[in-house]
Amino acid sequence: MLDALLFKRHLDDAEVLSKVVHKHPVVGLRELFWPSLFGLFSLLLILTWPKGIALWIVLGFIAACAIWWLRQFFNYYLDAWIITDQGIIDLNWLGWFHRQSARVLYSDVQGVSYEIQGVVGTLLKYGTISIEKISTGTAISLPYVHKPKKVESLILQNMEAYLHKKNIKNSKHVQEILSAFVSEKMQLTDVESKTHKNP
């Protein structure tokens, strides 16, 4: 539900959201550890110094920790891939006023791969998933993806459906062109045969 609200604005009108892929929740917990710890420490300070200037200093520190916590949360949650029926949108949240987005259509995908490294990655089932583009030969990747094999399978399924739909659309277009060409040729043949009969 939250994914649909936050990421729907990145989709085109006819585009259908399939899945939003985030980094593993352990990465989010790791990024939120220090701001949470300092925030709890600040709350404990309020219990010991409830009056005067010290209270305002601690309240300011709590506000700073809350902003820090939100920044780390957004850094984790908004760095994501949006998998749709037409392609993949790679989102990067680089700060409060700095975001990047790159779109790769399935027709531009040369290959999809994933890699799981190390004992921790194997135990927690996370790895890096990469997509190589045909046009540039470069790859985009998202590290720490939970169950990357499932994500790879989903991308390949969507890509197959997209290419099949595109091929059907292209074949219909070719049929229309051929039928127009054949009917035009038949009309020319009919006109030529009539002009040969009546010189």
Side-chain angles (χ1 to χ4, degrees), residues 30-169:
R30 185 181 69 199
E31 290 192 16
L32 294 175
F33 176 75
W34 289 111
S36 299
L37 186 68
F38 280 108
L40 288 173
F41 177 71
S42 302
L43 290 174
L44 290 175
L45 284 178
I46 283 186
L47 296 175
T48 58
W49 289 332
K51 295 182 183 177
I53 291 181
L55 177 65
W56 291 106
I57 292 172
V58 172
L59 287 175
F61 194 68
I62 289 173
C65 287
I67 292 168
W68 183 20
W69 193 94
L70 283 172
R71 189 200 184 288
Q72 294 300 96
F73 174 75
F74 287 139
N75 190 39
Y76 158 72
Y77 198 76
L78 297 179
D79 277 354
W81 277 8
I82 303 172
I83 301 173
T84 71
D85 62 334
Q86 296 178 19
I88 296 114
I89 304 166
D90 178 23
L91 297 176
N92 271 329
W93 193 85
L94 302 167
W96 295 109
F97 305 106
H98 188 187
R99 295 176 198 150
Q100 287 179 342
S101 170
R103 180 182 290 267
V104 180
L105 294 176
Y106 290 126
S107 55
D108 293 336
V109 173
Q110 183 171 340
V112 182
S113 63
Y114 73 92
E115 179 182 21
I116 297 175
Q117 279 189 334
V119 176
V120 177
T122 303
L123 291 175
L124 295 178
K125 298 179 184 174
Y126 68 73
T128 301
I129 188 154
S130 302
I131 294 175
E132 190 175 348
K133 294 194 270 185
I134 292 173
S135 56
T136 60
T138 59
I140 61 168
S141 60
L142 184 65
Y144 304 109
V145 174
H146 185 58
K147 297 183 180 176
K149 184 175 178 159
K150 284 188 175 183
V151 174
E152 179 194 46
S153 297
L154 178 65
I155 290 171
L156 290 173
Q157 287 172 0
N158 282 350
M159 188 167 112
E160 185 179 331
Y162 172 82
L163 293 175
H164 180 71
K165 187 177 174 183
K166 188 175 179 183
N167 287 340
I168 288 174
K169 190 185 289 185

